[in-house]
Every structure is written in structure tokens, then in C-alpha cells.
Amino acid sequence: IFLDEVFLSSTMLSFKNQHDYFLLKRKIMRVYPYVDSVNQMLTVLDSSLNNFKKKRHTRRYIRKYQNKIMEQFSSSISNLTRQEGVILSKLIYREFNITVYDLINKYRGRTHAFFWQGLSRLYDGNLKSTYYPEHNIKDRDIEYILQNDIKK
């Protein structure tokens, strides 16, 4: 008897147990408010940058705005774990469809982006990380948590 070949694929999540699920959920819950803050700040920054005519004035404004952001968030963001930093980078890509590296490159320049990417790589991060839940299992788990637990 010859049978047709059957391919099995799983849409199941990659959680080994409930503990892994709740750990990832806690990390996402801790990082997600930063994504909303970044969204608000970029909206304000983009609307303000349209008022400047000279590049010198825009650079000066961006530098002052960066210092303000660093004062506001440096203590809380420096307390994030490595994995939470990776999740933050992925969620920013999900929200804006642009990598964190490209955001830094856009507003502060290639040199600053290169510096922060190098620092990120020292701590097992990647500012150029993308978010594709269709292809990446970890991203699919994050999307599942966002859709079912956070957006309610």
C-alpha cells in the first residue's frame, strides 16, 4: 500500500511551559510603555523639525531634544535586561516599520548610529533587528502576546 506524503506544520507557539509564557509577557509589559513614549516623542519631534529652515538649527534642536530624552529615560532604560532591550528594538520596528539603527541614523547621523550599534552588540543586542512574526518563532510569540493580552 502506497500512501501520499503528508507534511505537518505547526502554528503552535514555542513556549515550553507556562512559566516561559509569563516571563515573556512580563518583559513585553515592562517594555511596551516605552514604545508608546517613543511614538509620542517622534510625533512631536517631526512636527517641530518642519519649522526649521536651516540644517544647523535642526541639528541643534535634535541635540537638545536628545539630552531631554536622556534625562527622562536613562535611569529606567538602563535597568532593562538584555532580552528586554532586544524586545524593545523589535517592538519599535513593529510600530514604525523602521529599525532603531535607521531611526538613530535619521535623526543623529551615521556616526552616532554606528556607535550605538557597536555598544548594543557588546550586550548581545542588535539595533538592526527586524520583526517578522511570519518567519521568526520568537516574533510570533511576541505577536501572540500583544494580540491576546496587551491589546485587550
Side-chain angles (χ1 to χ4, degrees), residues 4-12:
D4 292 334
E5 190 173 345
V6 177
F7 292 101
L8 299 176
S9 66
S10 174
T11 58
M12 299 268 305

Side-chain angles (χ1 to χ4, degrees), residues 53-128:
K53 295 178 182 174
K54 293 188 177 184
K55 197 171 188 177
R56 172 181 55 176
H57 297 297
T58 61
R59 285 183 183 160
R60 189 176 297 156
Y61 181 77
I62 289 173
R63 211 174 306 124
K64 287 181 182 178
Y65 203 78
Q66 179 191 2
N67 291 336
K68 183 176 124 182
I69 291 170
M70 292 295 267
E71 287 176 11
Q72 185 177 358
F73 290 108
S74 65
S75 62
S76 58
I77 284 189
S78 63
N79 290 333
L80 293 179
T81 64
R82 293 176 185 181
Q83 288 181 342
E84 288 169 345
V86 170
I87 291 170
L88 178 62
S89 178
K90 287 181 177 286
L91 290 180
I92 287 175
Y93 183 84
R94 179 182 181 265
E95 185 76 22
F96 300 107
N97 205 23
I98 186 172
T99 64
V100 176
Y101 179 86
D102 292 333
L103 277 174
I104 296 171
N105 191 13
K106 177 181 175 184
Y107 291 107
R108 291 293 288 151
R110 198 178 310 157
T111 307
H112 288 278
F114 180 77
F115 169 76
W116 288 110
Q117 172 68 2
L119 189 62
S120 173
R121 297 298 280 181
L122 283 175
Y123 294 103
D124 298 331
N126 186 5
L127 297 182
K128 295 179 182 179

Side-chain angles (χ1 to χ4, degrees), residues 27-70:
K27 290 174 186 172
I28 293 172
M29 295 286 279
R30 186 168 179 207
V31 167
Y32 198 73
Y34 293 116
V35 177
D36 291 335
S37 298
V38 168
N39 191 2
Q40 293 171 355
M41 287 185 288
L42 287 180
T43 304
V44 169
L45 182 64
D46 284 337
S47 65
S48 299
L49 289 180
N50 292 332
N51 298 332
F52 296 112
K53 295 178 182 174
K54 293 188 177 184
K55 197 171 188 177
R56 172 181 55 176
H57 297 297
T58 61
R59 285 183 183 160
R60 189 176 297 156
Y61 181 77
I62 289 173
R63 211 174 306 124
K64 287 181 182 178
Y65 203 78
Q66 179 191 2
N67 291 336
K68 183 176 124 182
I69 291 170
M70 292 295 267

